[in-house]
PDB file of all heavy atoms in Angstrom:
ATOM      1  N   VAL A 275       8.499  -4.833  -5.429  1.00  0.00           N
ATOM      2  CA  VAL A 275       7.071  -5.098  -5.305  1.00  0.00           C
ATOM      3  C   VAL A 275       6.297  -3.872  -5.763  1.00  0.00           C
ATOM      4  O   VAL A 275       6.568  -2.748  -5.311  1.00  0.00           O
ATOM      5  CB  VAL A 275       6.681  -5.454  -3.853  1.00  0.00           C
ATOM      6  CG1 VAL A 275       5.173  -5.674  -3.741  1.00  0.00           C
ATOM      7  CG2 VAL A 275       7.425  -6.693  -3.392  1.00  0.00           C
ATOM      8  N   ARG A 276       5.349  -4.089  -6.660  1.00  0.00           N
ATOM      9  CA  ARG A 276       4.449  -3.024  -7.107  1.00  0.00           C
ATOM     10  C   ARG A 276       3.022  -3.485  -6.866  1.00  0.00           C
ATOM     11  O   ARG A 276       2.632  -4.564  -7.334  1.00  0.00           O
ATOM     12  CB  ARG A 276       4.668  -2.712  -8.585  1.00  0.00           C
ATOM     13  CG  ARG A 276       6.067  -2.208  -8.879  1.00  0.00           C
ATOM     14  CD  ARG A 276       6.236  -1.788 -10.322  1.00  0.00           C
ATOM     15  NE  ARG A 276       7.592  -1.315 -10.566  1.00  0.00           N
ATOM     16  CZ  ARG A 276       7.997  -0.753 -11.694  1.00  0.00           C
ATOM     17  NH1 ARG A 276       7.124  -0.607 -12.689  1.00  0.00           N
ATOM     18  NH2 ARG A 276       9.233  -0.347 -11.835  1.00  0.00           N
ATOM     19  N   LEU A 277       2.274  -2.684  -6.162  1.00  0.00           N
ATOM     20  CA  LEU A 277       0.898  -3.021  -5.823  1.00  0.00           C
ATOM     21  C   LEU A 277      -0.043  -2.047  -6.525  1.00  0.00           C
ATOM     22  O   LEU A 277       0.178  -0.829  -6.503  1.00  0.00           O
ATOM     23  CB  LEU A 277       0.684  -2.953  -4.307  1.00  0.00           C
ATOM     24  CG  LEU A 277       1.571  -3.887  -3.463  1.00  0.00           C
ATOM     25  CD1 LEU A 277       1.289  -3.674  -1.979  1.00  0.00           C
ATOM     26  CD2 LEU A 277       1.339  -5.341  -3.845  1.00  0.00           C
ATOM     27  N   VAL A 278      -1.078  -2.588  -7.137  1.00  0.00           N
ATOM     28  CA  VAL A 278      -2.066  -1.778  -7.849  1.00  0.00           C
ATOM     29  C   VAL A 278      -3.162  -1.375  -6.871  1.00  0.00           C
ATOM     30  O   VAL A 278      -3.724  -2.226  -6.165  1.00  0.00           O
ATOM     31  CB  VAL A 278      -2.659  -2.557  -9.031  1.00  0.00           C
ATOM     32  CG1 VAL A 278      -3.729  -1.734  -9.734  1.00  0.00           C
ATOM     33  CG2 VAL A 278      -1.560  -2.936 -10.013  1.00  0.00           C
ATOM     34  N   VAL A 279      -3.455  -0.069  -6.830  1.00  0.00           N
ATOM     35  CA  VAL A 279      -4.484   0.445  -5.923  1.00  0.00           C
ATOM     36  C   VAL A 279      -5.449   1.306  -6.726  1.00  0.00           C
ATOM     37  O   VAL A 279      -5.087   1.845  -7.782  1.00  0.00           O
ATOM     38  CB  VAL A 279      -3.868   1.281  -4.780  1.00  0.00           C
ATOM     39  CG1 VAL A 279      -2.954   0.427  -3.928  1.00  0.00           C
ATOM     40  CG2 VAL A 279      -3.126   2.494  -5.334  1.00  0.00           C
ATOM     41  N   PRO A 280      -6.692   1.473  -6.263  1.00  0.00           N
ATOM     42  CA  PRO A 280      -7.632   2.365  -6.958  1.00  0.00           C
ATOM     43  C   PRO A 280      -7.140   3.804  -6.959  1.00  0.00           C
ATOM     44  O   PRO A 280      -6.473   4.252  -6.011  1.00  0.00           O
ATOM     45  CB  PRO A 280      -8.926   2.206  -6.142  1.00  0.00           C
ATOM     46  CG  PRO A 280      -8.786   0.891  -5.446  1.00  0.00           C
ATOM     47  CD  PRO A 280      -7.328   0.738  -5.157  1.00  0.00           C
ATOM     48  N   ALA A 281      -7.483   4.535  -8.000  1.00  0.00           N
ATOM     49  CA  ALA A 281      -7.058   5.933  -8.090  1.00  0.00           C
ATOM     50  C   ALA A 281      -7.716   6.799  -7.031  1.00  0.00           C
ATOM     51  O   ALA A 281      -7.174   7.832  -6.634  1.00  0.00           O
ATOM     52  CB  ALA A 281      -7.380   6.485  -9.482  1.00  0.00           C
ATOM     53  N   GLY A 282      -8.891   6.376  -6.560  1.00  0.00           N
ATOM     54  CA  GLY A 282      -9.598   7.173  -5.567  1.00  0.00           C
ATOM     55  C   GLY A 282      -9.147   6.950  -4.136  1.00  0.00           C
ATOM     56  O   GLY A 282      -9.660   7.600  -3.220  1.00  0.00           O
ATOM     57  N   TRP A 283      -8.197   6.073  -3.899  1.00  0.00           N
ATOM     58  CA  TRP A 283      -7.719   5.839  -2.541  1.00  0.00           C
ATOM     59  C   TRP A 283      -6.948   7.049  -2.030  1.00  0.00           C
ATOM     60  O   TRP A 283      -6.076   7.601  -2.730  1.00  0.00           O
ATOM     61  CB  TRP A 283      -6.818   4.612  -2.504  1.00  0.00           C
ATOM     62  CG  TRP A 283      -7.584   3.329  -2.281  1.00  0.00           C
ATOM     63  CD1 TRP A 283      -8.907   3.129  -2.530  1.00  0.00           C
ATOM     64  CD2 TRP A 283      -7.066   2.102  -1.776  1.00  0.00           C
ATOM     65  NE1 TRP A 283      -9.255   1.839  -2.216  1.00  0.00           N
ATOM     66  CE2 TRP A 283      -8.144   1.183  -1.745  1.00  0.00           C
ATOM     67  CE3 TRP A 283      -5.813   1.674  -1.361  1.00  0.00           C
ATOM     68  CZ2 TRP A 283      -7.995  -0.123  -1.303  1.00  0.00           C
ATOM     69  CZ3 TRP A 283      -5.666   0.372  -0.919  1.00  0.00           C
ATOM     70  CH2 TRP A 283      -6.744  -0.517  -0.888  1.00  0.00           C
ATOM     71  N   GLY A 284      -7.221   7.400  -0.780  1.00  0.00           N
ATOM     72  CA  GLY A 284      -6.531   8.504  -0.150  1.00  0.00           C
ATOM     73  C   GLY A 284      -5.305   8.036   0.621  1.00  0.00           C
ATOM     74  O   GLY A 284      -4.940   6.854   0.606  1.00  0.00           O
ATOM     75  N   PRO A 285      -4.639   8.956   1.339  1.00  0.00           N
ATOM     76  CA  PRO A 285      -3.411   8.606   2.076  1.00  0.00           C
ATOM     77  C   PRO A 285      -3.621   7.511   3.126  1.00  0.00           C
ATOM     78  O   PRO A 285      -2.724   6.684   3.335  1.00  0.00           O
ATOM     79  CB  PRO A 285      -3.007   9.931   2.725  1.00  0.00           C
ATOM     80  CG  PRO A 285      -3.669  10.987   1.893  1.00  0.00           C
ATOM     81  CD  PRO A 285      -4.942  10.388   1.417  1.00  0.00           C
ATOM     82  N   ARG A 286      -4.778   7.505   3.786  1.00  0.00           N
ATOM     83  CA  ARG A 286      -4.993   6.521   4.852  1.00  0.00           C
ATOM     84  C   ARG A 286      -4.987   5.109   4.301  1.00  0.00           C
ATOM     85  O   ARG A 286      -4.317   4.213   4.833  1.00  0.00           O
ATOM     86  CB  ARG A 286      -6.309   6.815   5.571  1.00  0.00           C
ATOM     87  CG  ARG A 286      -6.591   5.875   6.739  1.00  0.00           C
ATOM     88  CD  ARG A 286      -7.883   6.281   7.437  1.00  0.00           C
ATOM     89  NE  ARG A 286      -9.028   6.169   6.544  1.00  0.00           N
ATOM     90  CZ  ARG A 286      -9.680   5.020   6.319  1.00  0.00           C
ATOM     91  NH1 ARG A 286      -9.289   3.903   6.903  1.00  0.00           N
ATOM     92  NH2 ARG A 286     -10.718   5.001   5.505  1.00  0.00           N
ATOM     93  N   ARG A 287      -5.719   4.882   3.215  1.00  0.00           N
ATOM     94  CA  ARG A 287      -5.771   3.544   2.635  1.00  0.00           C
ATOM     95  C   ARG A 287      -4.435   3.141   2.024  1.00  0.00           C
ATOM     96  O   ARG A 287      -4.034   1.974   2.108  1.00  0.00           O
ATOM     97  CB  ARG A 287      -6.869   3.479   1.579  1.00  0.00           C
ATOM     98  CG  ARG A 287      -8.277   3.498   2.157  1.00  0.00           C
ATOM     99  CD  ARG A 287      -9.307   3.396   1.065  1.00  0.00           C
ATOM    100  NE  ARG A 287     -10.657   3.257   1.600  1.00  0.00           N
ATOM    101  CZ  ARG A 287     -11.751   3.175   0.851  1.00  0.00           C
ATOM    102  NH1 ARG A 287     -11.636   3.216  -0.479  1.00  0.00           N
ATOM    103  NH2 ARG A 287     -12.942   3.051   1.399  1.00  0.00           N
ATOM    104  N   ARG A 288      -3.745   4.087   1.433  1.00  0.00           N
ATOM    105  CA  ARG A 288      -2.443   3.764   0.848  1.00  0.00           C
ATOM    106  C   ARG A 288      -1.431   3.400   1.939  1.00  0.00           C
ATOM    107  O   ARG A 288      -0.601   2.501   1.753  1.00  0.00           O
ATOM    108  CB  ARG A 288      -1.944   4.937   0.003  1.00  0.00           C
ATOM    109  CG  ARG A 288      -2.806   5.197  -1.228  1.00  0.00           C
ATOM    110  CD  ARG A 288      -2.411   6.487  -1.935  1.00  0.00           C
ATOM    111  NE  ARG A 288      -3.372   6.800  -2.980  1.00  0.00           N
ATOM    112  CZ  ARG A 288      -3.130   6.717  -4.288  1.00  0.00           C
ATOM    113  NH1 ARG A 288      -1.943   6.308  -4.712  1.00  0.00           N
ATOM    114  NH2 ARG A 288      -4.050   7.036  -5.166  1.00  0.00           N
ATOM    115  N   THR A 289      -1.495   4.114   3.055  1.00  0.00           N
ATOM    116  CA  THR A 289      -0.617   3.776   4.168  1.00  0.00           C
ATOM    117  C   THR A 289      -0.940   2.386   4.714  1.00  0.00           C
ATOM    118  O   THR A 289      -0.037   1.610   5.063  1.00  0.00           O
ATOM    119  CB  THR A 289      -0.751   4.833   5.273  1.00  0.00           C
ATOM    120  OG1 THR A 289      -0.409   6.115   4.743  1.00  0.00           O
ATOM    121  CG2 THR A 289       0.167   4.521   6.446  1.00  0.00           C
ATOM    122  N   TRP A 290      -2.227   2.076   4.803  1.00  0.00           N
ATOM    123  CA  TRP A 290      -2.642   0.752   5.261  1.00  0.00           C
ATOM    124  C   TRP A 290      -2.090  -0.340   4.338  1.00  0.00           C
ATOM    125  O   TRP A 290      -1.612  -1.376   4.797  1.00  0.00           O
ATOM    126  CB  TRP A 290      -4.164   0.710   5.291  1.00  0.00           C
ATOM    127  CG  TRP A 290      -4.759  -0.635   5.610  1.00  0.00           C
ATOM    128  CD1 TRP A 290      -4.906  -1.200   6.835  1.00  0.00           C
ATOM    129  CD2 TRP A 290      -5.294  -1.570   4.666  1.00  0.00           C
ATOM    130  NE1 TRP A 290      -5.497  -2.432   6.731  1.00  0.00           N
ATOM    131  CE2 TRP A 290      -5.740  -2.688   5.412  1.00  0.00           C
ATOM    132  CE3 TRP A 290      -5.433  -1.583   3.285  1.00  0.00           C
ATOM    133  CZ2 TRP A 290      -6.326  -3.793   4.798  1.00  0.00           C
ATOM    134  CZ3 TRP A 290      -6.017  -2.679   2.676  1.00  0.00           C
ATOM    135  CH2 TRP A 290      -6.454  -3.774   3.430  1.00  0.00           C
ATOM    136  N   MET A 291      -2.104  -0.116   3.047  1.00  0.00           N
ATOM    137  CA  MET A 291      -1.567  -1.085   2.090  1.00  0.00           C
ATOM    138  C   MET A 291      -0.063  -1.250   2.279  1.00  0.00           C
ATOM    139  O   MET A 291       0.475  -2.377   2.238  1.00  0.00           O
ATOM    140  CB  MET A 291      -1.890  -0.637   0.667  1.00  0.00           C
ATOM    141  CG  MET A 291      -1.307  -1.529  -0.421  1.00  0.00           C
ATOM    142  SD  MET A 291      -2.023  -3.189  -0.432  1.00  0.00           S
ATOM    143  CE  MET A 291      -3.578  -2.877  -1.252  1.00  0.00           C
ATOM    144  N   ARG A 292       0.640  -0.160   2.499  1.00  0.00           N
ATOM    145  CA  ARG A 292       2.087  -0.258   2.718  1.00  0.00           C
ATOM    146  C   ARG A 292       2.412  -1.014   4.004  1.00  0.00           C
ATOM    147  O   ARG A 292       3.374  -1.784   4.053  1.00  0.00           O
ATOM    148  CB  ARG A 292       2.700   1.149   2.747  1.00  0.00           C
ATOM    149  CG  ARG A 292       2.734   1.856   1.395  1.00  0.00           C
ATOM    150  CD  ARG A 292       3.584   3.116   1.460  1.00  0.00           C
ATOM    151  NE  ARG A 292       3.723   3.732   0.147  1.00  0.00           N
ATOM    152  CZ  ARG A 292       2.929   4.687  -0.306  1.00  0.00           C
ATOM    153  NH1 ARG A 292       1.922   5.127   0.453  1.00  0.00           N
ATOM    154  NH2 ARG A 292       3.110   5.206  -1.505  1.00  0.00           N
ATOM    155  N   HIS A 293       1.603  -0.798   5.051  1.00  0.00           N
ATOM    156  CA  HIS A 293       1.823  -1.528   6.303  1.00  0.00           C
ATOM    157  C   HIS A 293       1.641  -3.029   6.090  1.00  0.00           C
ATOM    158  O   HIS A 293       2.415  -3.839   6.620  1.00  0.00           O
ATOM    159  CB  HIS A 293       0.855  -1.024   7.375  1.00  0.00           C
ATOM    160  CG  HIS A 293       1.251   0.300   7.936  1.00  0.00           C
ATOM    161  ND1 HIS A 293       0.396   1.063   8.721  1.00  0.00           N
ATOM    162  CD2 HIS A 293       2.392   1.029   7.824  1.00  0.00           C
ATOM    163  CE1 HIS A 293       1.011   2.188   9.062  1.00  0.00           C
ATOM    164  NE2 HIS A 293       2.226   2.188   8.537  1.00  0.00           N
ATOM    165  N   ALA A 294       0.619  -3.396   5.323  1.00  0.00           N
ATOM    166  CA  ALA A 294       0.387  -4.817   5.066  1.00  0.00           C
ATOM    167  C   ALA A 294       1.550  -5.429   4.303  1.00  0.00           C
ATOM    168  O   ALA A 294       2.000  -6.550   4.601  1.00  0.00           O
ATOM    169  CB  ALA A 294      -0.916  -5.000   4.299  1.00  0.00           C
ATOM    170  N   ALA A 295       2.067  -4.713   3.295  1.00  0.00           N
ATOM    171  CA  ALA A 295       3.204  -5.236   2.540  1.00  0.00           C
ATOM    172  C   ALA A 295       4.437  -5.354   3.415  1.00  0.00           C
ATOM    173  O   ALA A 295       5.202  -6.333   3.321  1.00  0.00           O
ATOM    174  CB  ALA A 295       3.483  -4.328   1.338  1.00  0.00           C
ATOM    175  N   HIS A 296       4.663  -4.371   4.270  1.00  0.00           N
ATOM    176  CA  HIS A 296       5.825  -4.425   5.166  1.00  0.00           C
ATOM    177  C   HIS A 296       5.697  -5.589   6.139  1.00  0.00           C
ATOM    178  O   HIS A 296       6.693  -6.294   6.407  1.00  0.00           O
ATOM    179  CB  HIS A 296       5.936  -3.103   5.919  1.00  0.00           C
ATOM    180  CG  HIS A 296       7.108  -3.050   6.849  1.00  0.00           C
ATOM    181  ND1 HIS A 296       8.398  -2.947   6.405  1.00  0.00           N
ATOM    182  CD2 HIS A 296       7.179  -3.092   8.224  1.00  0.00           C
ATOM    183  CE1 HIS A 296       9.232  -2.929   7.443  1.00  0.00           C
ATOM    184  NE2 HIS A 296       8.503  -3.016   8.552  1.00  0.00           N
ATOM    185  N   ARG A 297       4.503  -5.829   6.664  1.00  0.00           N
ATOM    186  CA  ARG A 297       4.296  -6.938   7.596  1.00  0.00           C
ATOM    187  C   ARG A 297       4.460  -8.286   6.888  1.00  0.00           C
ATOM    188  O   ARG A 297       4.814  -9.286   7.519  1.00  0.00           O
ATOM    189  CB  ARG A 297       2.917  -6.827   8.223  1.00  0.00           C
ATOM    190  CG  ARG A 297       2.708  -7.739   9.418  1.00  0.00           C
ATOM    191  CD  ARG A 297       1.448  -7.368  10.173  1.00  0.00           C
ATOM    192  NE  ARG A 297       1.524  -6.023  10.735  1.00  0.00           N
ATOM    193  CZ  ARG A 297       0.562  -5.483  11.490  1.00  0.00           C
ATOM    194  NH1 ARG A 297      -0.542  -6.181  11.764  1.00  0.00           N
ATOM    195  NH2 ARG A 297       0.692  -4.268  11.970  1.00  0.00           N
ATOM    196  N   ALA A 298       4.205  -8.310   5.581  1.00  0.00           N
ATOM    197  CA  ALA A 298       4.388  -9.546   4.824  1.00  0.00           C
ATOM    198  C   ALA A 298       5.848  -9.769   4.440  1.00  0.00           C
ATOM    199  O   ALA A 298       6.169 -10.762   3.785  1.00  0.00           O
ATOM    200  CB  ALA A 298       3.527  -9.516   3.562  1.00  0.00           C
ATOM    201  N   GLY A 299       6.735  -8.861   4.848  1.00  0.00           N
ATOM    202  CA  GLY A 299       8.152  -9.010   4.550  1.00  0.00           C
ATOM    203  C   GLY A 299       8.541  -8.546   3.166  1.00  0.00           C
ATOM    204  O   GLY A 299       9.564  -8.981   2.635  1.00  0.00           O
ATOM    205  N   LEU A 300       7.737  -7.646   2.559  1.00  0.00           N
ATOM    206  CA  LEU A 300       7.996  -7.201   1.192  1.00  0.00           C
ATOM    207  C   LEU A 300       8.651  -5.828   1.124  1.00  0.00           C
ATOM    208  O   LEU A 300       8.776  -5.255   0.041  1.00  0.00           O
ATOM    209  CB  LEU A 300       6.686  -7.180   0.396  1.00  0.00           C
ATOM    210  CG  LEU A 300       5.947  -8.512   0.305  1.00  0.00           C
ATOM    211  CD1 LEU A 300       4.666  -8.346  -0.482  1.00  0.00           C
ATOM    212  CD2 LEU A 300       6.833  -9.566  -0.330  1.00  0.00           C
ATOM    213  N   GLY A 301       9.040  -5.286   2.261  1.00  0.00           N
ATOM    214  CA  GLY A 301       9.672  -3.979   2.264  1.00  0.00           C
ATOM    215  C   GLY A 301       8.683  -2.872   1.931  1.00  0.00           C
ATOM    216  O   GLY A 301       7.493  -2.963   2.231  1.00  0.00           O
ATOM    217  N   GLN A 302       9.180  -1.817   1.317  1.00  0.00           N
ATOM    218  CA  GLN A 302       8.336  -0.689   0.923  1.00  0.00           C
ATOM    219  C   GLN A 302       7.936  -0.847  -0.540  1.00  0.00           C
ATOM    220  O   GLN A 302       8.771  -0.683  -1.437  1.00  0.00           O
ATOM    221  CB  GLN A 302       9.073   0.633   1.141  1.00  0.00           C
ATOM    222  CG  GLN A 302       9.247   1.020   2.595  1.00  0.00           C
ATOM    223  CD  GLN A 302       7.903   1.220   3.277  1.00  0.00           C
ATOM    224  OE1 GLN A 302       6.941   1.719   2.685  1.00  0.00           O
ATOM    225  NE2 GLN A 302       7.822   0.822   4.539  1.00  0.00           N
ATOM    226  N   PRO A 303       6.674  -1.159  -0.810  1.00  0.00           N
ATOM    227  CA  PRO A 303       6.265  -1.375  -2.206  1.00  0.00           C
ATOM    228  C   PRO A 303       6.026  -0.057  -2.937  1.00  0.00           C
ATOM    229  O   PRO A 303       5.880   1.005  -2.326  1.00  0.00           O
ATOM    230  CB  PRO A 303       4.957  -2.149  -2.058  1.00  0.00           C
ATOM    231  CG  PRO A 303       4.375  -1.605  -0.783  1.00  0.00           C
ATOM    232  CD  PRO A 303       5.559  -1.331   0.126  1.00  0.00           C
ATOM    233  N   THR A 304       5.982  -0.129  -4.250  1.00  0.00           N
ATOM    234  CA  THR A 304       5.579   0.999  -5.096  1.00  0.00           C
ATOM    235  C   THR A 304       4.096   0.844  -5.408  1.00  0.00           C
ATOM    236  O   THR A 304       3.678  -0.185  -5.946  1.00  0.00           O
ATOM    237  CB  THR A 304       6.388   1.021  -6.401  1.00  0.00           C
ATOM    238  OG1 THR A 304       7.777   1.153  -6.095  1.00  0.00           O
ATOM    239  CG2 THR A 304       5.948   2.181  -7.286  1.00  0.00           C
ATOM    240  N   LEU A 305       3.309   1.845  -5.041  1.00  0.00           N
ATOM    241  CA  LEU A 305       1.876   1.803  -5.302  1.00  0.00           C
ATOM    242  C   LEU A 305       1.598   2.455  -6.651  1.00  0.00           C
ATOM    243  O   LEU A 305       2.001   3.598  -6.903  1.00  0.00           O
ATOM    244  CB  LEU A 305       1.101   2.519  -4.201  1.00  0.00           C
ATOM    245  CG  LEU A 305       1.285   1.983  -2.775  1.00  0.00           C
ATOM    246  CD1 LEU A 305       0.324   2.682  -1.814  1.00  0.00           C
ATOM    247  CD2 LEU A 305       1.073   0.479  -2.728  1.00  0.00           C
ATOM    248  N   VAL A 306       0.924   1.720  -7.505  1.00  0.00           N
ATOM    249  CA  VAL A 306       0.587   2.201  -8.848  1.00  0.00           C
ATOM    250  C   VAL A 306      -0.931   2.274  -8.958  1.00  0.00           C
ATOM    251  O   VAL A 306      -1.628   1.298  -8.653  1.00  0.00           O
ATOM    252  CB  VAL A 306       1.149   1.271  -9.937  1.00  0.00           C
ATOM    253  CG1 VAL A 306       0.811   1.808 -11.324  1.00  0.00           C
ATOM    254  CG2 VAL A 306       2.649   1.102  -9.777  1.00  0.00           C
TER     255      VAL A 306
END
C-alpha cells in the first residue's frame, strides 16, 4: 500500500494516516 500525502504534512499527520491504514487492515503503508 502506498498513500499519497501533501509535502507539507508533518509527523503528526503522517502518523495519523498510518494509524488509519493500519486500522483498515492494510498494515504499514509507504507514504509518498
Side-chain angles (χ1 to χ4, degrees):
V275 178
R276 298 185 180 187
L277 301 178
V278 178
V279 298
W283 272 22
R286 182 177 63 83
R287 288 181 173 179
R288 294 172 188 251
T289 301
W290 174 80
M291 177 66 78
R292 289 191 175 93
H293 284 167
H296 181 72
R297 193 168 297 183
L300 301 179
Q302 289 298 324
T304 300
L305 301 187
V306 181

